[in-house]
């Protein structure tokens, strides 16, 4: 899937995560900012990477600012940002979240 623009989803509110997806060339590169990165950083990155791969994105730069989001929220925000980045919001791919 081709990234055509920068896609952003989420907020900086408590229990949420803001995800920004843009074009990349070296796989999925994640810049994670989170107060719980020491404990949960690997899991947050795994959820983002898995969601993008299920959606069909192999190369992307991701900026993630976590405020304590659960895995289901991370996946949902990642999918929304990816669909905005690929300009495919008119074709929801909710099966990616399963």
């Amino acid at each position: 899937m081709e990234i055509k623009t920068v896609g952003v989803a989420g907020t900086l509110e408590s229990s949420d995560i803001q995800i920004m997806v843009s074009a990349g060339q070296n796989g999925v590169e994640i810049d994670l900012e989170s107060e719980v990165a020491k404990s949960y950083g690997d899991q947050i990155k795994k959820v983002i990477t898995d969601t993008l791969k299920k959606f069909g994105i192999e190369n992307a730069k991701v900026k993630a600012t976590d405020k304590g989001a659960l895995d289901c929220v991370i996946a949902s925000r990642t999918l929304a940002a990816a669909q905005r980045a690929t300009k495919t919001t008119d074709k929801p791919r909710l099966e990616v979240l399963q």
Side-chain angles (χ1 to χ4, degrees):
M1 181 106 18
E2 179 188 353
I3 295 176
K4 300 176 181 178
T5 188
V6 176
V8 180
T11 69
L12 299 175
E13 299 294 322
S14 181
S15 300
D16 202 353
I17 188 168
Q18 186 176 71
I19 302 281
M20 182 183 304
V21 176
S22 59
Q25 296 180 354
N26 301 314
V28 175
E29 301 174 84
I30 302 172
D31 176 16
L32 175 63
E33 184 179 313
S34 175
E35 291 182 16
V36 296
K38 275 190 174 182
S39 299
Y40 300 105
D42 289 343
Q43 177 63 19
I44 294 168
K45 290 177 181 180
K46 181 182 182 324
V47 172
I48 293 169
T49 301
D50 289 352
T51 303
L52 290 175
K53 288 190 177 183
K54 285 182 191 175
F55 186 65
I57 293 177
E58 297 292 327
N59 296 298
K61 291 183 181 177
V62 179
K63 169 70 174 142
T65 305
D66 175 58
K67 298 294 181 179
L70 298 174
D71 286 359
C72 57
V73 175
I74 297 167
S76 297
R77 297 302 195 193
T78 302
L79 177 59
Q83 290 202 271
R84 291 172 183 164
T86 57
K87 296 189 176 184
T88 59
T89 56
D90 59 331
K91 302 171 194 160
R93 296 267 316 271
L94 300 179
E95 68 277 4
V96 170
L97 300 176
Q98 296 181 5

